[in-house]
Amino acid sequence: MSSITNCPSCQTQFIVTDEQLHQHKGKVRCGNCLTVFDAIQQIVQADIDLTTVEDTTAISDDSTEPQTDDAQLYEIESPLPGNEAITHDTEAYQETISLVSNEKLSAQPSHGTQPSIFDDLAGKSKLNAKKLNKNPRTWLLLLLAFILLLVAVTQSTYFLRSEIAIYYPNLKPYLIQACKQLGCSINLPKKIELIVIDDSDIQEDAEHTGLMRLSSTIINQAGFNQVYPNLELTLTDIDDKPKLRRVFKPNEYLAANTNIANGIAAGEEVKVKLAITTQGESVAGYRVFVTY
């Protein structure tokens, strides 16, 4: 079936077939002014016998001419004046695509005025800020969350002040100043598992009956100062049953000039020498421990 289409630029009318219209989605180029247009949208009604026109404008079947798959459009010879053939080969189709693309691009806003995604984000941020400003409840919730966080940090610092002073010694002076205001103190750690006894020995005094002399070494294996431990000594009989037990505090086994408040330093070794009376009990062995 054939139809008549009209060039929107020069108003020239041409005959087109359904096959030609659907071959490139209706895109054709005018043979008169070379304008590319959509032939389907420009279909017009004319009071002529298309069958007669088609017969006079039929494609030649000359076998000497090369046959191609390209669509050929022929002009209406009569009664439509000013007709020229429309060609629609592969090159014209590529040009059609280019022209259509250019038309779409020209329909878009210029680069200087084209909105960007950043403008959209900025606009949304402004809207969110306005909503936040107009909602005092949101600010109240944020303020409450900040206060709760501050209280939690303060409380944790208070109860863990001694541990913080151990692992962050640079903060210790500030913690001490804060404790002066709060009435608390920074205590030295008591990691008894990091304090060991080495090279201990007990001997009976040859000059005094019932007098035992203990010698030992206390070592702080921690990387920080610790509280001086207590020294527990147990004397046992021949069956290893405890007979006498005594706990010595740091001021009892340390030298008189020792600053006990500073604690035993990291890696420090303290020599201990004690004299113990057996009070008439027969002893055969001993056990010594460090405790807090």
Side-chain angles (χ1 to χ4, degrees), residues 5-151:
T5 186
N6 180 66
C7 175
S9 179
C10 64
Q11 306 303 320
T12 303
Q13 294 182 344
F14 303 93
I15 296 176
V16 291
T17 64
D18 289 345
E19 180 182 357
Q20 293 170 339
L21 290 176
H22 292 91
Q23 186 173 5
H24 298 295
K25 298 181 179 180
K27 294 293 183 180
V28 297
R29 183 173 61 183
C30 177
N32 182 40
C33 64
L34 301 182
T35 299
V36 176
F37 63 95
D38 190 338
I40 296 176
Q41 294 183 357
Q42 300 297 327
I43 292 295
V44 298
Q45 298 295 330
D47 297 332
I48 62 173
D49 187 356
L50 295 180
T51 303
T52 304
V53 174
E54 288 179 350
D55 291 338
T56 59
T57 60
I59 299 176
S60 173
D61 293 333
D62 188 357
S63 59
T64 60
E65 294 294 328
Q67 298 298 321
T68 64
D69 294 334
D70 295 338
Q72 299 292 330
L73 303 185
Y74 293 85
E75 62 182 349
I76 300 175
E77 296 179 353
S78 178
L80 304 175
N83 298 328
E84 294 183 16
I86 298 179
T87 60
H88 201 328
D89 55 11
T90 304
E91 180 180 358
Y93 178 62
Q94 293 177 350
E95 182 178 356
T96 300
I97 296 175
S98 176
L99 289 174
V100 171
S101 301
N102 290 335
E103 289 175 0
K104 291 183 178 179
L105 290 176
S106 62
Q108 296 179 355
S110 62
H111 181 71
T113 60
Q114 184 177 3
S116 66
I117 189 172
F118 300 104
D119 296 332
D120 294 339
L121 293 177
K124 292 180 180 179
S125 299
K126 293 178 181 178
L127 292 176
N128 292 337
K130 291 180 179 178
K131 293 180 180 178
L132 194 60
N133 291 333
K134 293 180 179 180
N135 191 354
R137 184 178 180 182
T138 303
W139 285 108
L140 183 60
L141 292 176
L142 290 175
L143 179 60
L144 181 60
F146 175 76
I147 293 174
L148 291 177
L149 177 63
L150 184 62
V151 170

Side-chain angles (χ1 to χ4, degrees), residues 140-214:
L140 183 60
L141 292 176
L142 290 175
L143 179 60
L144 181 60
F146 175 76
I147 293 174
L148 291 177
L149 177 63
L150 184 62
V151 170
V153 171
T154 304
Q155 187 177 20
S156 300
T157 303
Y158 177 80
F159 288 107
L160 299 176
R161 60 187 182 278
S162 297
E163 285 76 7
I164 294 174
I166 293 172
Y167 297 105
Y168 302 96
N170 293 335
L171 298 178
K172 187 174 181 178
Y174 302 102
L175 293 173
I176 293 175
Q177 292 295 328
C179 278
K180 288 182 179 179
Q181 302 296 327
L182 299 174
C184 60
S185 60
I186 305 296
N187 300 320
L188 292 174
K190 297 179 179 180
K191 305 291 184 181
I192 196 65
E193 67 275 8
L194 298 178
I195 296 180
V196 298
I197 294 179
D198 186 35
D199 194 23
S200 63
D201 184 40
I202 191 169
Q203 298 290 335
E204 185 177 359
D205 193 312
E207 298 180 358
H208 303 84
T209 304
L211 183 63
M212 308 293 290
R213 294 190 178 276
L214 173 70

